[in-house]
Amino acid sequence: MNGLPSVRMWRRSGLTAYMYCLLKCSPLILAVAVCHGWLFGDFVGKQKELDEISLWPLPQKFQSSAVAFKLSPGSFQIVHAKQSSAGPSCSILVNAFRRYFEYMFGDLKKHEKSRKKVYDSDLAELQVWITSADPECDGYPSLQADESCELFSLPLLQLVYRDDYGANNINKTDISDFPRFAHRGILLDSSRHFLPLKVILANLEAMAMNKFNVFHWHIVDDPSFPYMSRTFPDLSQKGAYHPFTHVYTPSDVKMVIEFARMRGIRVIPEFDTPGHTQSWGNGQLNLLTPCYSGSSPSGTFGPVNPILNSSYDFMTQFFKEISTVFPDAYIHLGGDEVDFSCWKSNPDIKKFMVQQGFGTDYSKLESFYIQRLLDIVAATKKGYMVWQEVFDNGVKLKDDTVVEVWIGNKMEEELQNVTGAGFTTILSAPWYLDYISYGQDWQRYYKVEPLNFPGTDAQKKLVIGGEACLWGEYVDATNLTPRLWPRASAVAERLWSDKSVTDVGNAYKRLVQHRCRMVKRGIPAEPLFVGHCRQEYMGL
């Protein structure tokens, strides 16, 4: 094209996987093209500094030279390679091309309108080559997605300079990249405080920029039930903070799922039972257990009532709906922190315990409920994720169950036990970002080694990743994003980059620059320490 150099990027597998690659590797492209150019123009010609500030998360293999190309919106384009199995009809790719072009040039295009001349050093195009027979243009991201990608830019022996129009420069760079762990998630809690749709979408954007690929949506809990169910509309009508302003309509949920799909992010909803269900009882009579004070009802309610068939009939209908609304192969069923005191007070529950031979071990009653729930969800052809208590209490689990380890004390022992039993595991215990402290606590998250527990190589392969969790007791739309970023970025690199990437000093230098890239994109990520960004956050 005009005899100008091009960049070629290709994948080894389908588009669902590739789109994740593009959307996750394109920030690498962005980092190389923008960060080495005008955004950090002071570093032009200083290779040591270039290497130190380059990318986040750090790629598996990365080599950059001082050879540079110009990137101009007037002469650069992202195109389908001729050999690619995907083409212009692939909306997910076209959408990504348009979005990343805007990321690179959105604030430059007005400054380059008068530029007519095309220089020999201008980079003409990025060719995207999908090599699989089926590009999966209409698919959803999955745990099995191949996220590897390769980027090569051809050498061109030109001097690096910044012209009067402020054109971007890109250094000759070769990248070969893939994630260390397949599951890299962010948990957001929209029950304790309602999170407006705009906030969720903005954080999906930030997740993509940091190579997270799972949005664990803790959508309902004790305080409120904002999910608007078609089958049981009273759940949100009577259980949300407000039935109209503080709910997620079916179209809202669909928008979140599609926005995430376009960025290679899975959406896994969590509907936690039998505990954490106070808001459910507002809209579904007789679902919760009546608590007693002595021989009389106290007027309060506890967990889901596990002895009534009506409870399981409700769950059957409800999860049938959930399985059709959320396309991911997995649903998170919770199962944590069940308070047994109400069950212990209820005479009908106590009678049932005797009939079942449970004695006074109420964890057996919990297991009885969970087992029936798991059978209900399995009938929808969905897999399930659970918190570690479900495993700890001896519930019979399907072989493909994913157990989430979240309790901090004896974390290594729990990982050893869960993987020793043959179950796939994700880790969140060291990454509860709602616990805040003075100073650079991101370093603590960064230093975690997920596989640092006693076990065989086969056991450690069962740890498929982890999640950074931001629970909502003290978080709403006003402070969620700056509290989450760039602290979650530390978790992102730990889950993506090679195990050997542990230099906190080097990470600090790169993360400072990465935080500035987020700020430039309108993400109000909080500062790591004293300093500044060339383009500061300008507010709402």
Side-chain angles (χ1 to χ4, degrees):
M1 184 172 186
N2 297 327
L4 300 180
S6 65
V7 173
R8 176 166 294 165
M9 179 180 185
W10 66 79
R11 285 203 36 78
R12 303 184 182 93
S13 63
L15 180 59
T16 299
Y18 164 73
M19 273 311 304
Y20 191 73
C21 172
L22 177 67
L23 299 177
K24 299 306 182 184
C25 285
S26 282
L28 303 184
I29 298 168
L30 185 64
V32 174
V34 177
C35 299
H36 291 188
W38 69 274
L39 182 57
F40 299 109
D42 294 343
F43 291 97
V44 170
K46 300 180 181 179
Q47 187 58 42
K48 183 174 183 291
E49 288 85 349
L50 282 174
D51 288 340
E52 290 179 348
I53 67 165
S54 50
L55 306 175
W56 193 279
L58 199 67
Q60 302 293 335
K61 295 180 181 179
F62 165 64
Q63 185 174 4
S64 182
S65 77
V67 177
F69 311 129
K70 284 189 175 298
L71 281 172
S72 165
S75 59
F76 177 77
Q77 60 181 339
I78 307 174
V79 300
H80 301 277
K82 291 181 180 180
Q83 307 95 322
S84 178
S85 59
S89 64
C90 188
S91 61
I92 192 170
L93 265 181
V94 172
N95 181 290
F97 292 177
R98 185 182 306 116
R99 192 166 65 250
Y100 277 85
F101 190 90
E102 187 67 23
Y103 292 160
M104 288 189 284
F105 300 117
D107 58 341
L108 282 182
K109 287 185 287 190
K110 61 180 178 289
H111 299 299
E112 290 218 343
K113 285 182 178 179
S114 61
R115 178 179 168 184
K116 304 289 187 180
K117 184 176 180 180
V118 176
Y119 296 96
D120 290 340
S121 58
D122 278 2
L123 187 65
E125 61 187 27
L126 169 67
Q127 296 182 16
V128 179
W129 182 4
I130 310 298
T131 59
S132 66
D134 180 6
E136 303 174 25
C137 288
D138 299 318
Y140 288 89
S142 71
L143 181 64
Q144 293 75 31
D146 179 356
E147 303 172 73
S148 61
C149 64
E150 295 182 2
L151 171 68
F152 299 102
S153 56
L154 303 179
L156 187 67
L157 299 178
Q158 299 288 334
L159 294 175
V160 178
Y161 68 96
R162 179 182 178 187
D163 67 21
D164 294 336
Y165 298 97
N168 288 340
N169 294 285
I170 179 171
N171 284 68
K172 177 189 178 297
T173 304
D174 294 344
I175 293 174
S176 179
D177 205 11
F178 54 87
R180 183 183 176 198
F181 293 102
H183 184 116
R184 305 177 306 283
I186 293 286
L187 179 150
L188 297 181
D189 170 7
S190 60
S191 172
R192 290 173 175 84
H193 283 97
F194 180 77
L195 300 177
L197 190 62
K198 181 179 179 181
V199 173
I200 293 176
L201 299 183
N203 278 278
L204 287 170
E205 190 73 45
M207 286 173 62
M209 196 173 179
N210 285 271
K211 292 194 175 73
F212 282 105
N213 67 345
V214 177
F215 173 33
H216 178 168
W217 194 354
H218 190 87
I219 192 169
V220 301
D221 206 298
D222 282 329
S224 74
F225 197 106
Y227 171 78
M228 185 182 287
S229 167
R230 293 183 185 273
T231 311
F232 300 99
D234 279 353
L235 289 172
S236 61
Q237 189 72 19
K238 298 179 179 179
Y241 287 129
H242 190 283
F244 304 119
T245 60
H246 287 58
V247 294
Y248 301 109
T249 67
S251 62
D252 291 337
V253 173
K254 186 176 181 180
M255 179 181 293
V256 169
I257 293 169
E258 182 63 11
F259 192 92
R261 182 180 83 93
M262 287 291 174
R263 288 153 181 79
I265 297 172
R266 303 164 59 198
V267 178
I268 299 179
E270 180 183 352
F271 293 91
D272 190 357
T273 67
H276 292 280
T277 49
Q278 288 298 296
S279 65
W280 300 52
N282 296 329
Q284 187 63 25
L285 293 178
N286 302 318
L287 179 64
L288 303 184
T289 303
C291 305
Y292 277 67
S293 178
S295 60
S296 303
S298 66
T300 61
F301 296 87
V304 169
N305 193 328
I307 71 172
L308 299 181
N309 287 331
S310 59
S311 296
Y312 302 104
D313 292 339
F314 165 81
M315 293 297 172
T316 299
Q317 294 181 66
F318 181 75
F319 279 103
K320 181 179 179 181
E321 173 188 327
I322 296 305
S323 69
T324 61
V325 171
F326 292 90
D328 197 83
Y330 283 83
I331 299 173
H332 203 301
L333 300 177
D336 65 318
E337 296 182 320
V338 181
D339 184 352
F340 295 151
S341 59
C342 183
W343 283 351
K344 290 178 179 179
S345 75
N346 185 290
D348 294 328
I349 297 285
K350 288 190 283 188
K351 182 179 178 180
F352 184 83
M353 291 284 289
V354 173
Q355 292 173 344
Q356 295 294 321
F358 293 162
T360 58
D361 186 355
Y362 282 85
S363 66
K364 291 182 178 178
L365 181 60
E366 179 189 5
S367 297
F368 174 85
Y369 167 82
I370 293 288
Q371 187 62 66
R372 290 194 64 175
L373 178 66
L374 297 184
D375 292 341
I376 287 170
V377 174
T380 69
K381 308 301 181 184
K382 291 285 190 180
Y384 43 74
M385 300 172 61
V386 294
W387 297 108
Q388 69 180 69
E389 290 97 319
V390 176
F391 168 82
D392 294 341
N393 291 338
V395 174
K396 184 179 179 181
L397 300 173
K398 288 196 308 178
D399 291 342
D400 64 347
T401 301
V402 178
V403 178
E404 184 159 7
V405 174
W406 72 276
I407 299 176
N409 61 324
K410 298 184 178 180
M411 177 182 74
E412 293 83 4
E413 181 181 339
E414 185 75 11
L415 287 170
Q416 182 183 19
N417 292 339
V418 174
T419 58
F423 290 109
T424 301
T425 311
I426 59 175
L427 179 65
S428 59
W431 296 315
Y432 268 42
L433 272 57
D434 45 302
Y435 291 104
I436 59 175
S437 60
Y438 184 78
Q440 299 190 44
D441 61 355
W442 69 270
Q443 296 184 12
R444 183 170 73 250
Y445 308 136
Y446 189 79
K447 292 176 182 178
V448 172
E449 171 43 55
L451 303 186
N452 187 24
F453 65 93
T456 65
D457 290 344
Q459 283 179 259
K460 296 188 177 185
K461 287 180 180 178
L462 290 172
V463 180
I464 59 171
E467 294 185 342
C469 302
L470 189 61
W471 297 97
E473 287 89 349
Y474 304 100
V475 173
D476 68 3
T478 65
N479 64 343
L480 183 146
T481 304
R483 184 162 295 185
L484 186 59
W485 308 104
R487 296 162 75 227
S489 303
V491 183
E493 179 152 294
R494 181 54 51 236
L495 294 174
W496 179 279
S497 302
D498 188 77
K499 181 180 180 179
S500 64
V501 179
T502 58
D503 187 329
V504 174
N506 176 271
Y508 173 79
K509 295 175 183 178
R510 290 184 293 110
L511 188 54
V512 166
Q513 305 296 356
H514 183 63
R515 179 255 171 180
C516 284
R517 291 198 290 273
M518 287 192 279
V519 167
K520 180 178 181 291
R521 288 259 290 270
I523 300 167
E526 67 181 15
L528 279 75
F529 193 55
V530 177
H532 79 288
C533 294
R534 177 167 292 188
Q535 185 168 325
E536 297 286 3
Y537 183 66
M538 302 303 291
L540 299 176

